[in-house]
Structure formats: structure tokens, C-alpha cells
Amino acid sequence: VQLVESGGGLVQTGGSLELSCVGSGRIFKDYQIGWFRQAPGKDRDFVAAISWSGASQYYADGAKGRFTITRDNAKNTVYLQMNNLQPEDTAVYYCAGDGTVIKYDASEWDYWGQGTLVTVSS
């Protein structure tokens, strides 16, 4: 499956952004989709994930209450709505796909997009 992210940009502290991840190729609806982020000099960290049906969502502690992951399989798209953004949320955000189970370790996901940069100014 090929994944393409969009929606990143520059936003002020407290602002919102919605990221999109569009999939193509293999049957998108069969894949768990996750969002990860990587700040300069840091590891790629788990942010949120959603099951293939959309029935289950998983969040990192820092994302709970601020970020919401959803998917529309008819559009082959997963969204990450991010509210109350803080400077520490600044990173390149990647979506990832996997045909098995949801994992929190980035190294265990099979497919990756190219990333979209989110910058939160203070």
C-alpha cells in the first residue's frame, strides 16, 4: 500500500491542524493505520492508530484529549485532527500501514508515507 500525507504547516500555540493520509495500491480497508512523529534528533514516536474498521483507536498519552484519529475507507483516507497544539508537537508526522496488528514501535510497521511537517510557533 502506498501512503501520502498532507495537511502539515505552521500554526500558533493553541491552534489546530488536520492531517490526512491517503492510501492506494493494496486494499486500504484491510490495513491498520498509525500516525508517528519525529522531531529533529529524536526517535520516531507513536502518536495514534486506528484499526482497519475504525472501531478501535489508540493514542499516546500526550495525544489523548487533544488528537483524534478517524478513517473513511470509502475515500481510502485516515485523518488526524490535532487541537491545542503546543511547540513540543513540532515534528515531521508520518502515517504508517500494517496488515496485521497495531504496534507502538515504529520499526514494526510495514509501509510509510513521506511525512508532513508540523511547526507550532510559541
Side-chain angles (χ1 to χ4, degrees):
V1 63
Q2 291 80 43
L3 303 171
V4 179
E5 304 96 334
S6 63
L10 174 65
V11 64
Q12 291 184 334
T13 298
S16 299
L17 283 174
E18 183 178 68
L19 306 183
S20 299
C21 172
V22 179
S24 61
R26 295 174 182 257
I27 302 174
F28 181 80
K29 68 177 180 64
D30 291 341
Y31 282 73
Q32 331 287 354
I33 299 294
W35 283 97
F36 290 77
R37 67 187 184 187
Q38 188 166 21
K42 295 189 176 182
D43 293 337
R44 191 169 295 188
D45 293 330
F46 174 81
V47 175
I50 191 165
S51 62
W52 65 270
S53 67
S56 300
Q57 302 87 37
Y58 307 83
Y59 296 96
D61 287 344
K64 290 178 183 178
R66 298 190 301 131
F67 294 2
T68 302
I69 188 170
T70 58
R71 71 188 295 164
D72 184 344
N73 284 338
K75 296 182 179 180
N76 283 3
T77 304
V78 170
Y79 304 96
L80 184 68
Q81 175 67 42
M82 304 188 295
N83 298 326
N84 191 22
L85 284 161
Q86 302 297 312
E88 53 266 34
D89 295 316
T90 294
V92 177
Y93 284 71
Y94 298 90
C95 68
D98 195 282
T100 58
V101 297
I102 287 175
K103 291 145 290 192
Y104 297 101
D105 187 338
S107 68
E108 297 185 54
W109 289 71
D110 291 333
Y111 303 98
W112 291 90
Q114 83 290 348
T116 185
L117 176 63
V118 172
T119 304
V120 185
S121 63
S122 57

